[in-house]
Amino acid sequence: MFGSLFSITLAPKPLMSPRLILNASLLLIAVPISIVDLRERRVPDILSVGGTVAVLGLGAILRREGFLGQLLGMAAGTTAFWSVRFASGRKLGWGDVKFSALIGAALGPAGWFWAVMAASLLGLAVAGFLRAFRRIDSQAHIPFAPFLTAGALFSAIAAESLTGLLLGVAG
């Protein structure tokens, strides 16, 4: 009777899970990327490419079973954004393509999907608001990295629940 009680209270709990470490690492890199993109309208390779390498390295060390998912997320982020860049006549920057790869590497394919969905909806809402109040015109170039960062934060918090909900509805 008391054995199970003591085993619960005496069992050490990890302070940080591998997922939490990867999410925190992504956000520590994503915030400076957003600041630079807002100020200079560019995403520095040292942060996006270097961050991708760092996140993949952390993932390989911390969660070997999830490393394939990280690679698939990176591939999804790169391929999808490269396709958008190509189809849009290069209106999406290379920095955003590389940042998308970082987000995919950190969050995996499902997390990347939810991050991009949230970023796109938020970006459209802000652009629509700015356009409605005549703060920008139809030719304005709006930095996308801050929206990707907000989407990544949203995904880090809610992706698992949203994916489960979506699969539960579809199944």
Side-chain angles (χ1 to χ4, degrees):
M1 176 173 158
F2 292 108
S4 63
L5 176 65
F6 289 114
S7 66
I8 291 173
T9 57
L10 296 177
K13 293 183 180 179
L15 295 176
M16 295 185 72
S17 71
R19 170 63 31 217
L20 182 60
I21 293 169
L22 288 171
N23 290 347
S25 300
L26 171 61
L27 292 174
L28 285 172
I29 299 165
V31 170
I33 284 175
S34 295
I35 292 168
V36 171
D37 196 26
L38 283 169
R39 289 182 180 167
E40 302 176 18
R41 301 211 187 267
R42 68 181 189 87
V43 174
D45 283 350
I46 190 75
L47 293 175
S48 61
V49 176
T52 301
V53 170
V55 163
L56 286 173
L58 276 172
I61 294 167
L62 296 173
R63 35 184 319 252
R64 283 175 259 152
E65 72 285 348
F67 186 66
L68 178 60
Q70 286 186 269
L71 292 175
L72 291 173
M74 182 183 73
T78 303
T79 304
F81 270 46
W82 180 85
S83 299
V84 169
R85 176 178 163 73
F86 180 75
S88 70
R90 298 182 181 171
K91 290 183 180 177
L92 184 69
W94 269 121
D96 294 316
V97 174
K98 296 171 195 172
F99 188 26
S100 175
L102 167 61
I103 292 168
L107 300 177
W112 172 85
F113 171 80
W114 291 114
V116 171
M117 291 298 291
S120 299
L121 291 173
L122 182 60
L124 283 171
V126 169
F129 178 81
L130 292 173
R131 181 88 199 264
F133 288 96
R134 302 187 193 282
R135 298 287 186 200
I136 61 170
D137 63 16
S138 62
Q139 301 302 313
H141 294 278
I142 300 173
F144 195 49
F147 299 110
L148 285 171
T149 297
L153 176 60
F154 169 79
S155 180
I157 294 168
E160 194 172 310
S161 298
L162 290 170
T163 302
L165 178 67
L166 184 64
L167 292 175
V169 169

